[in-house]
Amino acid sequence: MSKIEASVLAFYGEVDPEVTSTVEPTAAAMKRLGKSYEAHVEPGASHAFMMYQVEGENGAAIVDAWPRAIAFLNDHTK
């Protein structure tokens, strides 16, 4: 993590405990290193929830994540 130079935006599906268990330790490590890290755990969403939008699942997570991602990119890629 010490080599990360860009701001990081991370989305996690709540229904993925192996991955979501890493959010807090990652946030703490990034903060300790002075890195920009913004994490969102999407309620009820599965792992890789953006990939499963065509199956009708994870709709609320997708609706929440897209505007956040676009705003983040607008703020960090000028």
Side-chain angles (χ1 to χ4, degrees):
M1 288 182 204
S2 64
K3 294 182 180 182
I4 295 173
E5 295 182 15
S7 297
V8 176
L9 173 65
F11 293 100
Y12 302 89
E14 178 185 47
V15 188
D16 191 1
E18 289 182 26
V19 175
T20 56
S21 66
T22 68
V23 174
E24 290 303 319
T26 301
M30 291 287 279
K31 184 176 182 175
R32 188 173 52 253
L33 292 167
K35 306 295 180 174
S36 174
Y37 175 75
E38 181 181 336
H40 299 276
V41 178
E42 297 292 341
S46 64
H47 178 82
F49 65 88
M50 292 297 281
M51 292 175 49
Y52 299 109
Q53 57 188 318
V54 295
E55 296 175 12
E57 296 180 13
N58 303 310
I62 292 163
V63 167
D64 181 63
W66 268 118
R68 289 179 190 265
I70 298 302
F72 179 87
L73 290 171
N74 284 335
D75 288 345
H76 292 89
T77 58
K78 294 180 181 179

